[in-house]
Amino acid sequence: MTTLTIALPTSSFLPGLGGVEVGLHNIATRLQKRGHRPVVMVPAPHYSALRKDWSLPYEVIGFPPKVWGVLRHAPPVGFTILDRWFEWMRRRYSFDVWHCTMGWPTDVALAHYARSRRLIPYLVRCAGEDIQREPAIGYGARLNPRIDKLVCEWLPQADCLVAMTDTVASEYRAIGVTEDKIVMVPNGVDVERLSSLGDRQGTRKRLGIADDEKVLLSVGRNHPKKDFATLLEGAARLKSEDAGKFRVVIAGLGASKLREKAETLGIAQQVILIEQIGAPAAGRLPLE
């Protein structure tokens, strides 16, 4: 098997525990296990935090401090700094391929650098807020006209853009990405590993869930984009239609704020709200 050295630049990473961060960690870990050499490039604050007490199986390096802020407020200066930094990294590691996470600001910077080096193979994987726009709920980095202009100019120049969902693919098309560059790759689920984790009966007992109750689990921060209100309304309908015993478990930052909605709908007894658990000690992830 050919061993590849793979650059994984991102604008958000551990110790944050969102989908972007944990997902990229899983990608890097699996690449490492398959004999490749992943090198994750992270913002300077993330790099500093990881150096304190995290131990990861792959290499992590930090971007120049405050460079993303410079790119946002003074693009010509930010591009100059990042062009030189990317070139330094290329010479240092001789990367075979670049896997870029986040269209803004990561790929905007990488696309600008790669414009003069077309032999650099790279792909982009947008995560949501970096490409999607929903003005009604104030969602999306591209609501800022300056960022929107940069994204629309540079993202279509990428060699390949991975879409995890149809809505992300639609945004690619809307900014002028040609169909031949779009590849659908939904997030994977390791069913065997997840099925073997934890003490199910112990968890049910701890949360007060009976053995004969169905469990509807949703994990994610309480944000309008997640639309937990509709989930609770659906649960209220299940209760009104006497659809059987069930519990709705919502785990994530701000979940407790949904208590009032659940009480108003008359389903407070059916809903369990769990606030996000803090970063694990010694850098151990929940799904390692």
Side-chain angles (χ1 to χ4, degrees):
M1 182 188 74
T2 301
T3 298
L4 301 176
T5 302
I6 305 169
L8 297 166
T10 180
S11 57
S12 184
F13 196 56
L14 306 173
L17 291 178
V20 171
E21 296 82 9
V22 176
L24 183 55
H25 164 75
N26 288 338
I27 289 172
T29 299
R30 280 159 177 74
L31 288 172
Q32 181 82 12
K33 288 181 178 179
R34 293 187 180 186
H36 300 296
R37 184 190 182 188
V39 180
V40 184
M41 304 171 174
V42 307
H46 295 247
Y47 179 69
S48 297
L50 290 171
R51 288 186 64 186
K52 292 180 180 178
D53 56 5
W54 284 65
S55 178
L56 297 170
Y58 47 82
E59 188 171 354
V60 178
I61 58 178
F63 278 104
K66 301 182 179 180
V67 71
W68 297 131
V70 175
L71 181 63
R72 176 193 292 264
H73 297 292
V77 178
F79 281 138
T80 298
I81 295 172
L82 285 160
D83 282 352
R84 294 177 178 177
W85 190 81
F86 281 136
E87 177 62 13
W88 177 40
M89 291 296 104
R90 185 189 70 83
R91 292 174 180 272
R92 177 180 174 184
Y93 290 96
S94 299
F95 291 117
D96 295 292
V97 65
W98 299 62
H99 177 293
C100 181
T101 299
M102 303 295 282
W104 168 262
T106 324
D107 181 59
V108 167
L110 184 59
H112 185 276
Y113 164 67
R115 79 198 189 288
S116 60
R117 292 185 174 277
R118 297 312 303 166
L119 295 180
I120 295 178
Y122 73 100
L123 63 85
V124 182
R125 185 172 62 93
C126 290
E129 192 170 5
D130 55 326
I131 183 66
Q132 295 174 322
R133 293 189 302 177
E134 292 192 25
I137 60 173
Y139 179 83
R142 290 174 54 216
L143 294 180
N144 181 316
R146 181 180 297 177
I147 293 176
D148 184 50
K149 181 180 179 181
L150 290 169
V151 169
C152 292
E153 178 180 359
W154 291 104
L155 219 62
Q157 298 188 41
D159 298 325
C160 175
L161 293 97
V162 173
M164 296 179 288
T165 64
D166 290 334
T167 54
V168 169
S170 295
E171 290 293 347
Y172 288 159
R173 298 184 188 101
I175 65 172
V177 178
T178 56
E179 200 67 36
D180 61 300
K181 292 185 175 183
I182 301 174
V183 179
M184 292 293 300
V185 184
N187 282 336
V189 177
D190 190 336
V191 177
E192 182 178 352
R193 186 172 65 140
L194 289 176
S195 298
S196 65
L197 289 175
D199 176 6
R200 293 189 177 191
Q201 291 304 314
T203 299
R204 278 179 172 268
K205 183 177 180 180
R206 178 168 54 84
L207 296 177
I209 302 174
D211 291 341
D212 62 345
E213 290 181 308
K214 299 290 185 181
V215 177
L216 307 176
L217 171 65
S218 183
V219 179
R221 63 192 173 105
N222 181 16
H223 185 279
K225 184 72 162 55
K226 308 294 184 180
D227 197 13
F228 286 129
T230 297
L231 173 60
L232 294 179
E233 290 164 5
R237 181 172 178 178
L238 287 176
K239 180 182 178 181
S240 67
E241 295 179 354
D242 196 21
K245 297 181 180 180
F246 69 91
R247 291 292 188 97
V248 175
V249 181
I250 301 176
L253 183 64
S256 60
K257 296 180 181 179
L258 296 167
R259 174 61 58 190
E260 183 177 351
K261 176 76 172 179
E263 292 175 348
T264 299
L265 292 170
I267 56 170
Q269 296 303 312
Q270 283 75 33
V271 176
I272 298 175
L273 303 173
I274 304 172
E275 282 288 321
Q276 178 178 334
I277 299 173
R284 181 171 174 77
L285 290 173
L287 296 182
E288 283 186 335

